[in-house]
Amino acid sequence: PHSHGVDAYTQHQMQVPQGGSGVVRTVMPMPEAVIPPKWLARYEELKWLKKSYEDINEPLKTAKYKQLSAWVRTQKQQYKLLHLGKPNKMRQARVDLLNEIGFEWAEERREKFWHAKYNELVAFHAKNGTTRIPPLVAELQPLHTWVSLQRRMLKRHREGKPTKLTQERIRLLDALGLESHIRAKTTWMDRFMELKRYKDEHGDCNVPQKWKENPSLGRWVDSQKTQHKRLYDGKPTHMTIERIQLLVSIGFDWRRG
């Protein structure tokens, strides 16, 4: 029968000689470790918390569960040391108990987070046809930060430098056409995506020149009208037919307000 008090993997047989007769007898060693009552008490507290909350990370952030939160961090640290082959207090029986209640080890949580962000990027790409996330749209800032980090790691990988990106992650990012480097300067497409978002929220593309939430976008919209006029006046301009088509596709109003 399974016992919480001992490590099952230590209960292996040992062969030792019996006296000087050369006869070998089989003995069972004493259990290597007994799980301390304090550890079991914290474990039961965590088990109860997981039954009571869909996401235990929220209550673990509160002062009420400060000690339990510290204990959870310790388990993750000890587990990491165990897998690095360094001295630790983690035993298989404890690992088994924590796995029974779906304990999230650090690597598993990071893996879930990465794939959640990747799926957000997939959805954004499907809707907008680009992986360039506008940096000034508040609700997209977490995704923009994550994508920027992936770009930096891809760049390091392609320079032959060490990175945390696995081959599978590189394959997934390449499948979306994520560039390892783009100019730090805000591009025309970045502004266009900001304008598209504005249109989705406000119903038109008439961004005020002094719009407090994003003054740069208001100035950019006015500049497109100026560049458009220069094109049809036969003057030097940055406006292209492709850009005109993109702006027309979202109902851009070329009239100056």
Side-chain angles (χ1 to χ4, degrees), residues 68-199:
L68 181 60
S69 179
W71 180 86
V72 167
R73 288 196 301 273
T74 298
Q75 306 318 301
K76 294 180 179 181
Q77 290 163 0
Q78 293 298 315
Y79 185 77
K80 184 177 181 180
L81 291 173
L82 172 68
H83 281 266
L84 290 173
K86 297 182 178 181
N88 65 88
K89 295 180 180 179
M90 184 59 71
R91 299 291 183 268
Q92 190 59 43
R94 302 186 189 189
V95 173
D96 291 343
L97 285 172
L98 289 167
N99 282 337
E100 281 179 15
I101 61 171
F103 188 83
E104 284 192 348
W105 306 101
E107 286 303 320
E108 291 177 2
R109 186 166 179 79
R110 281 195 286 268
E111 189 72 10
K112 285 183 180 179
F113 176 80
W114 193 93
H115 281 282
K117 285 298 176 191
Y118 178 77
N119 288 335
E120 285 183 36
L121 181 60
V122 169
F124 181 88
H125 181 269
K127 181 180 179 181
N128 302 291
T130 181
T131 58
R132 298 187 181 187
I133 314 298
L136 299 178
V137 179
E139 56 266 44
L140 291 177
Q141 282 181 358
L143 182 59
H144 177 268
T145 300
W146 181 84
V147 169
S148 297
L149 176 60
Q150 306 313 304
R151 291 190 199 282
R152 289 196 297 272
M153 288 196 289
L154 272 178
K155 186 172 184 288
R156 287 182 62 83
H157 169 71
R158 285 164 186 165
E159 291 173 348
K161 297 177 181 178
T163 172
K164 293 182 179 179
L165 278 181
T166 63
Q167 288 301 317
E168 175 63 8
R169 291 184 180 183
I170 292 169
R171 184 188 69 78
L172 289 171
L173 293 171
D174 284 343
L176 278 181
L178 187 74
E179 312 101 314
S180 60
H181 180 69
I182 57 174
R183 291 184 300 164
K185 185 179 179 181
T186 302
T187 65
W188 189 94
M189 185 57 73
D190 289 331
R191 290 293 186 218
F192 175 76
M193 293 307 302
E194 290 174 19
L195 179 61
K196 190 171 185 295
R197 184 69 178 179
Y198 179 94
K199 166 73 180 299

